[in-house]
Amino acid sequence: MENKNENLQGENKASLNFIEQIIENDLKNGKNESRVHTRFPPEPNGYLHIGHAKSICLNFGIAEKYNGLCNLRFDDTNPTKEEVEYVDSIIEDVKWLGFDWGDRLYYASDYFDQMYELAVKMIKKGKAFVCDLSAEETSALRGTPSIPAKPSPYRMRSIEENLDLFARMKAGEFPDGSKTLRAKISLDSPNMQMRDPAMYRIRHAHHHRTGNKWCIYPMYDWAHGLEDSIEKITHSLCTLEFENHRPLYNWYLDESEVYRPQQIEFARLNLSYTVMSKRKLLELVQQKLVSGWDDPRMPTISGMRRRGFTPQALRAFSDRIGIAKRNNVIDVSLLEHSVREDLNQRAKRVMAVLNPLKVTIKNYPEGQSEELEAVNNPEDESAGTRMIPFSREIYIERDDFMEDAPKKFFRLAPGREVRLRYAYFITCEDIIKDQAGNITELICTYDPLSKGGKSPDGRKVKGTLHWVDAHQNTAAQIRIYDRLFTVSDPDADKEKDFKEHLNPDSLSIIEEAFVEPSVIGAEALSYYQFERLGYFNVDKDSSTEKMVFNKTVGLKDSWTKAGN
Ligand code: ATP
Ligand code: MG
């Protein structure tokens, strides 16, 4: 926890991160004709998560900053796990974050022919061979960083035989797993990536774009560098796990005699109380432990969008955490802080009562109602004001009343006076209970001279309560979320499945809360602050019959509270 801030750079905007330093240096030296061209290369095997958002902000942000370009490229080299649904969701998410790839939307699968031709070239140069070993046999011969590999018995195949076999692999003559094309690099490199890695494997599988054209598919390392090269990427930014793949990235491109971008690694984003691997997120979805990829508890971009996080907040968060060279864990409360900070500027204030207690104002004329003016956003004058209805019957929050209230309780209690926000001062005169002794209603009086919540004579009230008119309102469902996991690192204990740490109380539903009528008809995603309660937004399940809101974040900021 001590070092969670070590990479935060929000405070010092002028300083460059290490990637910007490299780029500025390259620009100074006229490298790549002084172009800057990055790419965001997701594999379409799941929905994007907040870690991807960081990579998107980095790649598109660098391009924006240096007048360069950033491509969106689907790294779709694995036919069996990829789906069109994921492609569509990724496009939607990157757009929503506010980035634009122009006409540069690419698919690795569009380059399969070029990759194949270059593999043939590698065979002709004696740099690749067809190997008949199974995966198990290959790893048995592989050695360790200090023990050299034993050569594959197929390593010395002639170029002619390799060319023939590779063509027949492509033609579909061999079953899955029976052969691979391997690079002929090294038997004793201490970097295990360099020990004759596989370039192609056989997979008789349908591909979402190339159909059944191919039954051999390129491995990640072989494919990725070529994709970057073909697109004339200048700086290929990737996460730290690929650091020891860099020599292989370089080797492939140099031996193929094609343009070579520069690979630069940065630390991936890890967030407390969050799992980020797509495989694990897929498990949650498939086992219906969440309602879908866009469940508001998910760390996916679509989940966060649905929850009410804004693109501006995610971008601000990404800026704030900066770019590091070493892995670290960011406190999820910093993300929530960024969301709160953004919504404070953006969200329209309204009043809602989540746990209603009816109040009858006995000296307010029966059948009468009026409209009172309320400020939409004290942080943003241009948001203007709205009128809210008030009448003899209203709801207040049950917690805002106490029968035997201590002195320090500054809300409503028998005989005490409080302000109703934007309305009037009221005093509690009587309590009505049911037979079981539960309070069902309060009888109050109001001071007609305190209209707008202003004191008529200088007398002070300590508390200001939010409220909703009992007749003119909308009865809404409210979904309240807690963290999806109960522990800060659900992956820490390797003996335990991460799902054992799921928080059983991560979702609670209030079936009937009352919200002031100004929200009626608001579209899905509309952002609000429910006064005194937190930030809420309209869920996509909301309808004219029944509005549904998600709680986005509370008002209390545990990030600044912790002294950050
Ligand atoms: P996961 O491990 O979650 O399945 P991945 O790395 O396999 O993710 P890709 O679709 O290959 O997912 O990722 C696309 C890009 O996003 C890559 O450049 C990758 O480095 C980057 N990326 C993925 N996860 C993170 C993260 N947590 N922080 C920063 N960048 C990330
Ligand atoms: Mg990946």
Side-chain angles (χ1 to χ4, degrees):
M1 270 329 218
E2 273 77 61
N3 63 358
K4 74 181 166 194
N5 293 350
E6 102 188 320
N7 302 300
L8 301 184
Q9 349 177 290
E11 276 58 55
N12 189 2
K13 283 250 157 62
S15 74
L16 300 177
N17 67 47
F18 78 97
I19 295 177
E20 293 168 335
Q21 282 170 15
I22 293 172
I23 290 178
E24 296 208 355
N25 212 37
D26 289 348
L27 288 173
K28 216 165 53 207
N29 297 328
K31 196 175 164 189
N32 303 311
E33 311 84 46
S34 297
R35 290 180 306 116
V36 173
H37 200 153
T38 55
R39 84 285 175 265
F40 172 64
E43 184 183 350
N45 61 349
Y47 280 57
L48 297 182
H49 52 58
I50 180 75
H52 295 113
K54 170 175 172 165
S55 175
I56 293 167
C57 291
L58 172 64
N59 281 291
F60 281 94
I62 292 266
E64 251 167 37
K65 178 163 181 182
Y66 295 104
N67 253 320
L69 299 170
C70 180
N71 298 352
L72 175 59
R73 179 207 309 148
F74 289 102
D75 205 347
D76 57 350
T77 54
N78 183 354
T80 51
K81 286 199 238 153
E82 296 165 0
E83 285 177 33
V84 180
E85 177 196 349
Y86 299 140
V87 169
D88 294 343
S89 76
I90 290 169
I91 288 175
E92 185 185 358
D93 288 350
V94 180
K95 263 195 200 149
W96 177 76
L97 279 173
F99 295 108
D100 184 5
W101 52 89
D103 56 2
R104 296 175 317 284
L105 173 62
Y106 299 124
Y107 292 85
S109 54
D110 291 343
Y111 311 139
F112 281 173
D113 283 298
Q114 275 162 283
M115 291 174 186
Y116 179 81
E117 289 312 320
L118 286 169
V120 169
K121 177 173 169 180
M122 296 289 269
I123 295 173
K124 287 181 177 162
K125 288 179 72 175
K127 298 290 182 184
F129 65 99
V130 173
C131 183
D132 297 1
L133 295 181
S134 67
E136 295 73 43
E137 290 164 335
T138 305
S139 63
L141 296 182
R142 231 170 144 235
T144 68
S146 54
I147 301 170
K150 298 204 175 73
S152 158
Y154 307 99
R155 200 170 195 261
M156 298 316 286
R157 270 179 169 150
S158 69
I159 290 173
E160 289 65 37
E161 190 183 3
N162 282 321
L163 287 172
D164 173 63
L165 287 172
F166 189 48
R168 288 164 59 195
M169 279 169 66
K170 174 174 184 256
E173 283 189 29
F174 308 115
D176 287 5
S178 61
K179 286 183 170 35
T180 53
L181 182 72
R182 293 175 67 184
K184 195 192 280 188
I185 308 179
S186 170
L187 296 174
D188 59 2
S189 170
N191 181 340
M192 300 299 285
Q193 306 296 332
M194 301 297 275
R195 296 208 180 162
D196 292 1
M199 296 167 68
Y200 276 91
R201 60 192 172 143
I202 303 175
R203 262 296 162 84
H204 291 267
H206 182 88
H207 185 281
H208 71 112
R209 283 181 65 84
T210 58
N212 295 324
K213 175 174 174 185
W214 297 91
C215 61
I216 54 171
Y217 288 93
M219 303 300 288
Y220 177 86
D221 289 303
W222 169 244
H224 199 84
L226 292 177
E227 295 157 24
D228 286 344
S229 174
I230 291 166
E231 294 176 14
K232 294 279 179 292
I233 299 304
T234 56
H235 301 86
S236 174
L237 312 180
C238 61
T239 41
L240 284 179
E241 320 83 90
F242 292 100
E243 192 168 14
N244 62 351
H245 295 236
R246 189 176 354 117
L248 181 58
Y249 181 99
N250 292 344
W251 189 90
Y252 276 144
L253 295 178
D254 291 346
E255 291 297 339
S256 300
E257 299 164 51
V258 296
Y259 162 74
R260 167 153 69 80
Q262 180 181 1
Q263 175 179 307
I264 304 169
E265 308 86 20
F266 65 95
R268 66 196 295 121
L269 167 64
N270 300 302
L271 265 188
S272 62
Y273 294 94
T274 310
V275 302
M276 215 100 86
S277 123
K278 282 187 277 191
R279 183 180 57 75
K280 290 182 181 161
L281 297 178
L282 178 64
E283 245 180 272
L284 296 177
V285 172
Q286 282 178 336
Q287 298 182 23
K288 300 205 178 343
L289 297 166
V290 293
S291 67
W293 285 99
D294 70 346
D295 186 303
R297 294 166 294 179
M298 290 280 271
T300 51
I301 297 178
S302 50
M304 291 182 175
R305 171 169 62 234
R306 184 168 172 191
R307 171 91 172 245
F309 291 19
T310 61
Q312 294 86 349
L314 296 189
R315 288 172 70 153
F317 169 70
S318 171
D319 268 358
R320 200 174 240 144
I321 58 178
I323 301 300
K325 277 188 191 175
R326 271 181 301 140
N327 281 319
N328 59 355
V329 179
I330 302 288
D331 194 320
V332 71
S333 69
L334 177 61
L335 173 60
E336 292 159 358
H337 169 77
S338 302
V339 170
R340 198 175 283 116
E341 214 172 50
D342 182 65
L343 288 176
N344 184 37
Q345 303 301 318
R346 195 177 301 286
K348 194 172 155 184
R349 274 58 170 171
V350 296
M351 293 198 285
V353 172
L354 301 192
N355 186 12
L357 174 61
K358 191 173 167 192
V359 172
T360 297
I361 300 161
K362 65 180 182 186
N363 59 337
Y364 193 93
E366 241 166 289
Q368 181 177 311
S369 77
E370 63 185 302
E371 300 258 302
L372 299 163
E373 189 175 30
V375 174
N376 285 333
N377 186 348
E379 302 288 325
D380 173 12
E381 219 176 298
S382 73
T385 60
R386 68 187 183 287
M387 301 308 284
I388 42 179
F390 179 82
S391 68
R392 186 180 158 92
E393 277 103 30
I394 62 163
Y395 293 116
I396 64 167
E397 216 62 68
R398 217 161 247 285
D399 297 359
D400 281 336
F401 176 78
M402 242 178 123
E403 190 173 4
D404 297 306
K407 255 206 133 60
K408 284 259 166 72
F409 185 77
F410 297 131
R411 291 170 273 167
L412 199 59
R416 294 197 197 172
E417 186 173 45
V418 294
R419 173 190 295 108
L420 294 177
R421 183 118 161 112
Y422 300 122
Y424 294 98
F425 286 10
I426 58 167
T427 304
C428 177
E429 307 286 354
D430 224 338
I431 304 170
I432 296 180
K433 294 184 179 175
D434 63 14
Q435 285 181 338
N438 303 307
I439 300 172
T440 55
E441 188 180 338
L442 302 178
I443 306 296
C444 296
T445 53
Y446 84 120
D447 178 349
L449 299 178
S450 61
K451 185 163 176 171
K454 293 185 190 76
S455 178
D457 52 9
R459 80 176 186 272
K460 293 215 161 69
V461 290
K462 286 253 166 76
T464 299
L465 309 188
H466 62 274
W467 54 274
V468 170
D469 184 88
H471 305 287
Q472 295 186 63
N473 62 47
T474 182
Q477 187 193 80
I478 315 278
R479 300 175 183 170
I480 305 213
Y481 305 102
D482 195 354
R483 290 183 175 144
L484 191 51
F485 295 96
T486 52
V487 295
S488 73
D489 184 358
D491 287 323
D493 188 346
K494 300 294 167 211
E495 306 287 289
K496 264 192 177 170
D497 188 295
F498 75 103
K499 297 193 291 307
E500 288 181 38
H501 300 295
L502 278 167
N503 176 4
D505 301 317
S506 59
L507 169 65
S508 44
I509 296 181
I510 296 174
E511 282 303 339
E512 193 171 77
F514 296 105
V515 191
E516 65 168 69
S518 72
V519 302
I520 293 173
E523 292 172 20
L525 293 191
S526 302
Y527 310 110
Y528 292 102
Q529 185 193 99
F530 288 178
E531 294 215 23
R532 297 175 66 223
L533 298 174
Y535 294 98
F536 292 76
N537 83 334
V538 180
D539 190 76
K540 67 174 189 186
D541 292 344
S542 198
S543 70
T544 42
E545 285 81 57
K546 180 101 184 181
M547 290 195 80
V548 179
F549 289 86
N550 299 302
K551 181 167 183 180
T552 308
V553 280
L555 294 174
K556 257 204 233 109
D557 195 323
S558 53
W559 173 253
T560 45
K561 224 176 133 193
N564 292 296

